[in-house]
Amino acid sequence: MRICRFNHDKLGLVQGDEILDISAALEVLPTHRWPVPQSDPLVAALPHVMQVARDLAPTARRLPLAGVTLNSPVSYASKLPAAPVNYLKHMAEAQGDPATFHAHHLKRIEEVGLFLKASSSLVGPGDGVALRHLDRRNDHELELAVVIGKTADRVPVAAALDYVAGYAIGLDMTVRGPEERSLRKSIDTYSVLGPWLTTADEVPDPASLDIELHVNGELRQRANTRDLVIGIPELISWASSYYTLLPGDVLFTGTPDGVGPVLPGDVIRARIDHVGQMDVRVRAA
């Protein structure tokens, strides 16, 4: 299934160029009083929601996909773990441009480990990217994003994919500079997730997906997830050995070479096989 959140918290099932409005499926979610849960309620209950969605689909109202605003399919993430320099060609690219990529950020992923982006930076493609620090270079970074579906605490590599709810396209937007990654990549709107959540059963092999990104029609990034230095199961296991992953947490798996600057007015088009395609507009904050 391809499940989307659209037009400010409606729930949809994507079929071709249409969205089936299955917002009534949200009625199966538990209601909460304070203290609220630390995870995304929809993702935590996804198997139940999917069953209700199947029942609703035949009579659901249909809307043209092109006529809706797509929000992040995850409404709340307790954390956004991210993998730095996880493609060898991106490492070579960064090492060849020390003026942009500061030397102390160029250690191998095995040395530096994962970093965290603020969950407040999470938006959907319809929300767009609002650039800050326009006196500095703001870059796009295309990544396969992995949405965690159930609580994962110190999981072994062999079982790691059992904890995946699904996949999405992630844009890890970045302000270049000497500061730590977690600061420069946590600006509001700098974690774009979309266009929808493609459930894990729809992606036959997440380790063999073509990914590509264009800016204003110009090809900037093209790679395959088989080129990841550390694979998805290993990333999940590694992250969960340090902190418990919760339903709705989003793991950004790393970007390939070809990262480059964007400016207000640009349009980013990102595509990942079996996952989807999304257009994201860039503006000044």
Side-chain angles (χ1 to χ4, degrees):
M1 282 188 173
R2 295 182 171 188
I3 296 176
C4 71
R5 184 166 146 248
F6 71 99
N7 290 359
H8 305 292
D9 301 333
K10 292 185 179 297
L11 189 67
L13 184 62
V14 180
Q15 292 186 353
D17 59 359
E18 292 185 316
I19 288 179
L20 282 61
D21 187 343
I22 55 166
S23 299
L26 296 172
E27 298 298 323
V28 306
L29 300 184
T31 56
H32 297 282
R33 298 181 62 183
W34 183 88
V36 296
Q38 293 182 302
S39 57
D40 186 297
L42 175 66
V43 178
L46 190 60
H48 191 188
V49 171
M50 289 171 62
Q51 183 56 56
V52 176
R54 293 186 187 97
D55 296 338
L56 292 172
T59 58
R61 182 170 65 110
R62 293 177 175 266
L63 302 167
L65 179 59
V68 306
T69 298
L70 291 170
N71 310 120
S72 167
V74 172
S75 65
Y76 175 73
S78 74
K79 64 187 77 68
L80 305 175
V85 288
N86 201 23
Y87 285 82
L88 288 178
K89 286 185 178 180
H90 178 47
M91 171 62 84
E93 169 183 63
Q95 290 172 333
D97 187 4
T100 301
F101 302 90
H102 288 253
H104 68 282
H105 294 146
L106 296 182
K107 293 181 180 180
R108 294 161 57 246
I109 183 173
E110 296 91 341
E111 299 174 85
V112 71
L114 306 177
F115 65 95
L116 292 174
K117 293 163 64 75
S119 57
S120 56
S121 66
L122 189 63
V123 295
D127 303 302
V129 172
L131 299 180
R132 299 194 188 191
H133 303 289
L134 292 176
D135 57 323
R136 294 161 65 171
R137 179 170 147 175
N138 280 263
D139 282 7
H140 59 76
E141 297 191 4
L142 169 64
E143 314 202 3
L144 175 65
V146 180
V147 179
I148 299 300
K150 57 184 179 180
T151 301
D153 178 15
R154 292 163 287 186
V155 302
V157 171
L161 292 183
D162 295 340
Y163 292 82
V164 175
Y167 302 90
I169 301 171
L171 293 182
D172 175 22
M173 304 301 297
T174 304
V175 172
R176 296 300 174 195
E179 301 90 352
E180 291 298 326
R181 288 182 175 89
S182 60
L183 179 67
R184 296 181 290 104
K185 294 169 174 279
S186 288
I187 296 170
D188 295 353
T189 76
Y190 275 44
S191 301
V192 187
L193 189 71
W196 39 70
L197 174 67
T198 299
T199 54
D201 60 302
E202 295 281 342
V203 180
D205 184 4
S208 183
L209 299 176
D210 288 330
I211 71 175
E212 64 179 33
L213 179 144
H214 294 75
V215 177
N216 302 330
E218 173 196 356
L219 177 64
R220 294 278 187 89
Q221 294 184 273
R222 176 178 285 165
N224 189 284
T225 54
R226 72 172 65 94
D227 299 324
L228 287 167
V229 175
I230 297 179
I232 294 165
E234 291 79 10
L235 289 173
I236 294 170
S237 180
W238 192 12
S240 72
S241 74
Y242 283 88
Y243 36 71
T244 300
L245 299 172
L246 300 175
D249 285 356
V250 181
L251 174 62
F252 285 74
T253 59
T255 195
D257 60 309
V259 301
V262 291
L263 298 170
D266 285 348
V267 178
I268 300 169
R269 172 165 288 181
R271 186 189 66 81
I272 298 181
D273 277 355
H274 298 288
V275 176
Q277 177 175 296
M278 65 183 186
D279 288 350
V280 180
R281 297 188 176 276
V282 181
R283 65 186 187 279

